[in-house]
Amino acid sequence: MKVINLTIVIITLLSFGCSKKDNSLFLINANKENIASFQSLEDKEFQSLFEFSGGNVTRILEIDSHLLLFDVKGLKNQFLHLYDLDKKEILAGIFNKGNGPFESNSPYSIGVIGSKIWLQDFSMLKIIFFDYKDSVYSEKKVPFDLYGINFLTENKILGSIMNNSEFKFQFIDIEQNIITKEFGEFYKYPDNLEQSTLQSYFQRKSMVRPDKKTVATAYRWHNAIEITDLNDLSSKIIYSPDKMQNENDIIEYDGKLIFDRSGTTKKCYNDIFVTDNFIYAIFSGLEDNTPNSGFCKIIHIYDWEGNPIKQINLDRGIMSISVTSDDSRIYSFDIDTGEVIYMDL
């Protein structure tokens, strides 16, 4: 598909015109900063916590003296598993595989709001809840295709619609199932770029700060972290020192502009986790056709002002990151060994 003269592509793109005047074709946010380096660099190794063979843990959350493991493979037909740090054993599992009430077949994201553990199901367009104090299940239909969600209150979520929106975020009332506000325009892109291509080229993951006042976003195809104030909706974007250029992968095909992921398309951020103090994002930097290109061996740490605090170089590649609320420990999962792993900071 991509046998096409690069000069022609660039001229074609320029001739389409852009939504706002700027020297570049694509701009996520006009309020941007390019950083030259991190304040410190450190090499660190993970340690094994326990074996979880056959699973694939993509998120680990603290609940008292326990860890909540989000296993997208659904080991033992359950997607969440409760691990006791004191007893060093898995005690229970919740959210069964299936198509029925309180079941899931395509889990996408998890979290905790109050005493309720929640799981977002992507294809069934619903959120399942388990109240761990009362041991009661419930669920709500949410008829939107969302990248992932963050709860702001029990009835209000922050979401990102996957295809049919030109905005980065939506406030959604899940009681009424309505979008109350869309915000966060992509600052600049060619006028005839379809919304589905726009969203795939700017694919991202976001996580809300525990105080629910700010959200951090990591971009998969851009070396960029964006910080958005959820009160006044102001934002800024920080570009890491890694020079990534995937703009040439937007090509004209059959009269349309598409995102053509070639083998040389470089992956950037694969996952993000935030605490009260810091933003943690794992970075690949590898080309798409590189074996295990989705495995990241770099962690970037920023504060909430966007200052680059530290880069950690890892002893192995990981696909997800979770951090304790006091910033003392990082958790992840080693797919090769089937182990939950950790490092102390």
Side-chain angles (χ1 to χ4, degrees):
M1 179 187 297
K2 204 173 178 183
V3 181
I4 186 165
N5 186 287
L6 182 59
T7 303
I8 294 174
V9 170
I10 293 175
I11 292 173
T12 302
L13 285 172
L14 287 171
S15 69
F16 287 138
C18 298
S19 57
K20 296 183 176 65
K21 292 183 178 180
D22 195 87
N23 292 328
S24 58
L25 292 173
F26 293 87
L27 198 59
I28 300 173
N29 192 323
N31 185 18
K32 64 176 183 175
E33 179 182 352
N34 296 301
I35 64 171
S37 63
F38 286 84
Q39 294 176 18
S40 66
L41 300 177
E42 186 176 3
D43 297 332
K44 290 188 73 69
E45 296 182 358
F46 278 106
Q47 306 295 321
S48 174
L49 185 64
F50 64 92
E51 186 176 336
F52 195 74
S53 181
N56 183 6
V57 178
T58 61
R59 181 65 84 220
I60 299 174
L61 301 177
E62 301 172 289
I63 297 181
D64 300 325
S65 60
H66 300 83
L67 298 179
L68 187 65
L69 313 177
F70 178 31
D71 168 31
V72 293
K73 282 191 175 180
L75 195 64
K76 297 182 179 179
N77 287 318
Q78 294 176 314
F79 290 115
L80 271 71
H81 306 268
L82 194 64
Y83 179 80
D84 191 308
L85 287 166
D86 297 326
K87 295 181 179 179
K88 295 181 172 54
E89 64 178 355
I90 293 177
L91 301 180
I94 58 175
F95 299 136
N96 292 338
K97 279 185 179 181
N99 297 310
F102 320 130
E103 295 179 333
S104 174
N105 59 28
S106 53
Y108 194 84
S109 60
I110 68 160
V112 179
I113 180 75
S115 63
K116 294 179 180 179
I117 302 167
W118 59 263
L119 179 146
Q120 175 204 0
D121 186 284
F122 174 73
S123 64
M124 298 173 76
L125 301 180
K126 68 179 183 179
I127 305 169
I128 314 167
F129 300 89
F130 176 73
D131 192 318
Y132 60 85
K133 289 187 176 179
D134 299 330
S135 297
V136 173
Y137 284 94
S138 59
E139 66 180 32
K140 290 183 182 292
K141 290 286 187 178
V142 181
F144 305 102
D145 290 326
L146 300 170
Y147 273 121
I149 64 173
N150 286 269
F151 270 82
L152 302 176
T153 68
E154 285 203 359
N155 296 317
K156 181 181 179 181
I157 61 174
L158 178 71
S160 295
I161 290 180
M162 297 191 71
N163 294 316
N164 299 315
S165 177
E166 61 186 19
F167 295 93
K168 300 169 187 172
F169 296 110
Q170 292 79 31
F171 287 137
I172 300 173
D173 183 323
I174 62 172
E175 279 296 306
Q176 302 181 66
N177 271 335
I178 59 171
I179 295 172
T180 59
K181 187 174 184 62
E182 291 191 284
F183 63 96
E185 289 184 274
F186 295 100
Y187 184 74
K188 180 188 168 190
Y189 51 89
D191 287 333
N192 73 329
L193 193 72
E194 294 185 341
Q195 289 179 353
S196 59
T197 301
L198 174 72
Q199 293 293 346
S200 63
Y201 184 57
F202 292 127
Q203 186 180 350
R204 59 208 179 272
K205 286 187 177 181
S206 299
M207 189 171 182
V208 170
R209 195 175 186 177
D211 64 8
K212 311 297 185 185
K213 296 179 180 179
T214 323
V215 61
T217 301
Y219 285 84
R220 187 171 182 80
W221 307 112
H222 305 265
N223 55 308
I225 298 292
E226 192 170 28
I227 301 171
T228 303
D229 188 304
L230 294 177
N231 292 317
D232 63 18
L233 307 185
S234 62
S235 64
K236 68 176 179 179
I237 197 162
I238 303 99
Y239 287 88
S240 72
D242 314 273
K243 303 302 180 184
M244 297 290 144
Q245 178 55 270
N246 288 324
E247 195 167 289
N248 293 334
D249 292 309
I250 298 291
I251 68 169
E252 183 186 9
Y253 179 74
D254 197 24
K256 298 179 181 179
L257 293 181
I258 65 168
F259 179 33
D260 180 30
R261 282 177 56 187
S262 68
T264 58
T265 306
K266 289 187 176 180
K267 293 181 177 176
C268 296
Y269 291 108
N270 200 61
D271 197 18
I272 188 171
F273 198 94
V274 307
T275 64
D276 282 315
N277 299 313
F278 299 111
I279 300 163
Y280 301 79
I282 56 174
F283 187 84
S284 168
L286 299 176
E287 293 183 347
D288 230 356
N289 61 2
T290 304
N292 299 321
S293 61
F295 289 71
C296 303
K297 299 185 74 173
I298 296 171
I299 300 173
H300 289 164
I301 304 175
Y302 296 87
D303 66 17
W304 282 98
E305 297 302 315
N307 298 309
I309 304 301
K310 180 183 288 190
Q311 175 175 307
I312 300 177
N313 301 314
L314 305 174
D315 65 317
R316 68 190 83 182
I318 58 174
M319 297 186 71
S320 61
I321 184 170
S322 302
V323 187
T324 55
S325 58
D326 62 359
D327 300 288
S328 65
R329 176 173 285 189
I330 292 174
Y331 289 107
S332 190
F333 185 72
D334 189 321
I335 292 178
D336 292 331
T337 64
E339 295 174 313
V340 175
I341 55 178
Y342 72 96
M343 71 168 58
D344 289 325
L345 298 176

